[in-house]
């Protein structure tokens, strides 16, 4: 390294002897310990408070983590780089180009993570579908989100999916979301009575959220009659227990009035608005 290069580096960075490495290590360790504590304690605290507060507490974790990392970075950089506008411009420009070329996908996910925290297409506690994955968002990292599927499998999905993939969010921060239960019946039955029975089944479910409407949709098909019960459980996490309860008690109620189930032909449309 010639004298000119050394002089240029000395104008940007502090001398090795001038850098307080102990303070940098203290800030770095403190930041990650604080993030670790937040990631461990905040979800536990959210599970102990009433469920209506849970979805307000869980989204705080990724926001606090981002704030801590930003504060730590802004604090450490002036300890290494001489704090002038030209130096910061040169450092961030060179670092941005190098990182952009070497870790394009990784950086894309990091940027998408910041956008996701700001725009909130999903939050911890939301029930989302991204591509073929459906489940509850358990946590948001800077690069990816963790989804727990109904099969108890944790799936990690990079935030960069928000650039080119549709995100289906069932509750979007709400404590509950719409659940649907389907019934397929032979066409020879009293439709008015069946509809009333299914409505009664929904209204007497122990999982039902009474503040939301219950609807029983009906559509006649060439192969039979299609019923769809639309209702909300009290808690998002009760989705599958709620649907199972409606299915079991609904089949019993329909059997008591003589309504017979029918098999849906392969490839037949079963869509109801």
């Amino acid at each position: 390294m010639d004298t000119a290069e050394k002089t240029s580096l000395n104008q940007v960075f502090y001398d090795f002897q001038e850098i307080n490495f102990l303070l940098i290590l203290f800030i770095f360790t403190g930041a990650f310990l604080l993030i670790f504590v937040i990631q461990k304690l905040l979800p536990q605290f959210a599970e102990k408070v009433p469920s209506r507060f849970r979805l307000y507490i869980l989204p705080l974790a990724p926001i606090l983590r981002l704030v801590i990392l930003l504060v730590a970075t802004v604090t450490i950089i002036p300890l290494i780089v001489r704090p002038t506008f030209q130096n910061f411009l040169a450092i961030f420009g060179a670092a941005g180009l190098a990182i952009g070329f070497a870790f394009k996908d990784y950086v894309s996910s990091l940027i998408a993570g910041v956008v996701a925290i700001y725009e909130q297409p999903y939050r911890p506690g939301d029930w989302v579908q991204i591509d073929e994955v459906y489940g509850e968002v358990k946590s948001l990292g800077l690069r990816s989100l963790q989804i727990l599927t109904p099969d108890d499998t944790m799936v990690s999905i990079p935030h960069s999916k928000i650039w080119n993939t549709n995100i289906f969010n069932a509750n979007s921060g709400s404590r509950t979301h719409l659940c649907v239960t389907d019934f397929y019946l032979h066409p020879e039955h009293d439709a008015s009575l069946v509809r009333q029975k299914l409505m009664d089944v929904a209204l007497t479910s122990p999982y039902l959220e009474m503040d939301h409407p219950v609807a029983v949709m009906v559509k006649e098909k060439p192969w039979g009659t299609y019923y769809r019960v639309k209702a909300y459980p009290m808690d998002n996490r009760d989705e599958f227990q709620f649907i199972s309860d409606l299915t079991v008690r609904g089949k019993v109620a329909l059997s008591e009035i003589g309504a017979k189930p029918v098999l849906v032909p392969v490839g037949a449309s079963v869509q109801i608005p």
Side-chain angles (χ1 to χ4, degrees):
M1 186 179 296
D2 57 28
T3 305
E5 289 177 331
K6 286 183 179 178
T7 302
S8 179
L9 285 176
N10 287 336
Q11 290 175 344
V12 177
F13 299 101
Y14 285 112
D15 292 336
F16 191 78
Q17 296 79 4
E18 295 178 295
I19 297 176
N20 190 337
F21 288 103
L22 188 60
L23 179 57
I24 293 174
L25 180 63
F26 177 77
I27 296 171
F28 185 81
T29 305
F32 277 87
L33 282 178
L34 196 54
I35 291 173
F36 178 79
V37 170
I38 289 173
Q39 288 180 323
K40 286 292 181 184
L41 296 186
L42 210 56
Q44 294 179 16
F45 177 67
E47 295 298 328
K48 294 183 182 300
V49 300
S51 60
R52 63 181 182 278
F53 299 124
R54 176 173 170 266
L55 296 183
Y56 293 105
I57 295 173
L58 289 176
L60 294 176
I63 296 173
L64 291 175
R65 183 171 57 244
L66 179 62
V67 170
I68 292 169
L69 288 176
L70 286 175
V71 170
T73 303
V74 170
T75 306
I76 288 175
I77 287 179
L79 299 175
I80 302 173
V81 179
R82 296 185 188 279
T84 67
F85 176 76
Q86 292 80 0
N87 287 345
F88 284 127
L89 191 63
I91 290 294
F92 286 123
L97 284 175
I99 294 173
F101 280 112
F103 305 101
K104 183 177 64 175
D105 293 338
Y106 192 87
V107 171
S108 176
S109 290
L110 290 179
I111 296 172
V114 176
V115 173
I117 291 173
Y118 174 71
E119 294 188 352
Q120 297 188 325
Y122 39 70
R123 285 163 282 191
D126 283 354
W127 283 75
V128 301
Q129 178 163 351
I130 302 175
D131 289 336
E132 301 299 322
V133 179
Y134 175 73
E136 181 183 8
V137 178
K138 300 302 290 186
S139 65
L140 299 181
L142 283 180
R143 189 195 67 82
S144 63
L145 68 153
Q146 305 287 325
I147 294 179
L148 182 64
T149 71
D151 297 329
D152 202 27
T153 300
M154 192 68 77
V155 182
S156 179
I157 298 178
H159 290 299
S160 57
K161 283 286 183 180
I162 67 173
W163 301 137
N164 51 22
T165 302
N166 292 327
I167 310 294
F168 298 91
N169 192 326
N171 58 308
S172 192
S174 173
R175 181 166 51 90
T176 185
H177 65 267
L178 180 66
C179 294
V180 297
T181 308
D182 297 322
F183 297 89
Y184 312 101
L185 299 181
H186 189 280
E188 294 183 359
H189 62 268
D190 184 338
S192 177
L193 181 58
V194 167
R195 195 178 188 190
Q196 185 58 52
K197 283 290 183 183
L198 292 177
M199 179 67 77
D200 293 342
V201 167
L203 291 175
T204 54
S205 173
Y207 299 100
L208 179 69
E209 170 59 65
M210 299 297 292
D211 291 339
H212 289 78
V214 176
V216 179
M217 313 301 291
V218 187
K219 193 164 188 177
E220 198 65 23
K221 295 286 186 179
W223 42 264
T225 308
Y226 174 34
Y227 291 83
R228 168 164 281 191
V229 180
K230 296 184 175 183
Y232 293 78
M234 287 186 287
D235 193 298
N236 291 318
R237 293 167 291 183
D238 294 332
E239 174 183 352
F240 297 102
Q241 292 92 328
F242 183 44
I243 293 175
S244 297
D245 176 65
L246 296 183
T247 301
V248 171
R249 294 194 303 112
K251 293 183 72 172
V252 172
L254 295 177
S255 177
E256 289 174 351
I257 61 174
K260 299 178 180 179
V262 66
L263 293 177
V264 179
V266 177
S269 171
V270 291
Q271 295 296 319
I272 290 182

